[in-house]
């Protein structure tokens, strides 16, 4: 009864957490797990004051009912009001305004937990914005975010989409509709964006996977000097942005492999958008493992092999499992990489640590009998900052090997 009365008055709810959660929250960790809650049952989407066992305030957040009990937005007792939201968004925007390279108008404006907005990601595509929510519980923040974007970024349209965490087993079908325009108007078609001068056609209405992964921008930059005069195999190529970058930087021939013929049609369009002739390169709508096996049997090798499998792909080879499949994938790639060639391997699975990832790839190289030198480890671009208080924030791992 008291809880219903409090909600009617618009007052925030309360959660009490155990000592384990308290230690993490005091370090800035933004999540509360259900097993850590000792008292309180606020409704999903409701503002909550989070208290420790002694009643002391640990922060203010938004309650949920899935794999997380709450997401924490403030470390004090202040309200999640317009002034607070404006400060969070201004701070995030100021970083992007400082660090983005020239001729770039596609980027991550707010990177969820790492920018102080757990469960919310905002991406910018030339004149359009996409807001991605991890949970319907974050929806009460939407109107404030849209208001800020309209004032400070003047978008032509804002698309909202949902991307529930795979660890959340709730049925979101009723609460999370397909991506759609939340404010403004829809793009008239593909939106052409620029990344350091490279042109890419994206589709905001297909968010969150619009056709360009901006977190890989610095990886593409680092690799540019290594493409010239080389044969390139790009596996799980998606819309071919790495393929375009390689061809634009002088690769002699590029083979793009992806299970989706539709994605490869977009890859060819991206070649044309950069005044490159897709007819001089190859696009294969095929399972990457099958393509690798064929190249092994025919003895064909490549100077550069790039492999970046989706975290949750489904194909003829079954459901992708990083810990199970990386050794065989790395081995298959190593067998078709030429001597003195480069193997570039990438994973965006946050639960896989850099050390584990290198171990799995190393196991694959050993299976293939290919000694190698590890040249460098790369990560996400700086508009995807990783907060020190959020271990999962540093999710992207890219390692470059020279095969001997």
């Amino acid at each position: 009864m008291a809880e219903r009365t409090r909600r009617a008055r618009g007052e925030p709810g309360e959660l009490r957490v155990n000592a384990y959660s308290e230690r993490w929250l005091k370090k800035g960790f933004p999540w509360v797990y259900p097993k850590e809650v000792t008292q309180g049952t606020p409704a999903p989407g409701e503002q909550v004051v989070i208290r420790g066992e002694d009643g002391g305030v640990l922060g203010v957040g938004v309650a949920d009912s899935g794999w997380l009990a709450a997401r924490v937005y403030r470390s004090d007792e202040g309200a999640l009001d317009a002034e607070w939201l404006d400060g969070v968004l201004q701070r995030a925007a100021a970083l992007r305004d400082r660090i983005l390279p020239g001729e770039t108008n596609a980027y991550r404006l707010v990177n969820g937990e790492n920018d102080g907005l757990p469960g919310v990601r905002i991406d910018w595509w030339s004149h359009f914005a996409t807001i991605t929510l991890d949970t319907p519980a974050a929806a009460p923040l939407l109107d404030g975010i849209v208001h800020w974007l309209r004032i400070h970024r003047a978008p032509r349209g804002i698309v909202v989409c949902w991307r529930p965490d795979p660890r959340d087993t709730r049925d979101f079908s009723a609460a999370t509709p397909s991506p759609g325009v939340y404010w403004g108007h829809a793009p008239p078609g593909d939106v052409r964006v620029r990344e350091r001068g490279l042109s890419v056609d994206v589709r905001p209405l297909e968010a969150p996977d619009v056709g360009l992964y901006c977190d890989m921008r610095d990886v593409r930059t680092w690799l540019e000097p290594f493409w010239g005069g080389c044969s390139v195999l790009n596996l799980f190529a998606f819309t071919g942005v790495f393929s375009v970058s390689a061809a634009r930087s002088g690769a002699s021939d590029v083979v793009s492999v992806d299970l989706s013929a539709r994605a490869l049609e977009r890859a060819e369009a991206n070649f044309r958008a950069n005044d490159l002739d897709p007819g001089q390169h190859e696009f294969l709508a095929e399972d990457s493992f099958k393509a690798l096996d064929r190249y092994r049997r025919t003895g064909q090798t490549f100077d550069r092999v790039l492999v970046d499998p989706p975290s949750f792909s489904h194909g003829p080879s079954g459901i992708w499992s990083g810990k199970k499949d990386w050794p065989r994938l790395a081995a298959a790639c190593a067998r078709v990489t030429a001597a003195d060639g480069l193997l570039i391997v990438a994973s965006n699975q946050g639960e896989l640590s850099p050390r584990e990832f290198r171990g799995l790839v190393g196991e694959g190289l050993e299976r293939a009998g290919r000694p190698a030198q590890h040249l460098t480890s790369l990560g996400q671009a700086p508009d995807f900052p990783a907060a020190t208080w959020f271990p999962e924030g540093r999710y992207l791992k890219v390692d470059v090997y020279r095969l001997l």
Side-chain angles (χ1 to χ4, degrees), residues 247-266:
R248 194 165 172 258
S249 298
S252 57
D253 57 282
V254 181
V255 178
S256 303
V257 180
D258 196 277
L259 197 58
S260 169
R262 181 172 174 266
L264 292 177
E265 289 174 1
R266 296 177 65 185

Side-chain angles (χ1 to χ4, degrees), residues 368-382:
R370 296 298 303 274
Q373 296 170 318
H374 177 259
L375 300 187
T376 191
S377 292
L378 305 168
Q380 60 244 40

Side-chain angles (χ1 to χ4, degrees), residues 34 64-69 71 134-137 163-172:
D64 208 342
S65 61
W67 74 289
L68 293 178
R71 291 169 176 82
D134 290 350
T135 171
R163 191 171 196 167
D165 191 288
R167 290 167 287 193
D168 202 328
T169 57
R170 288 178 293 173
D171 181 6
F172 283 87

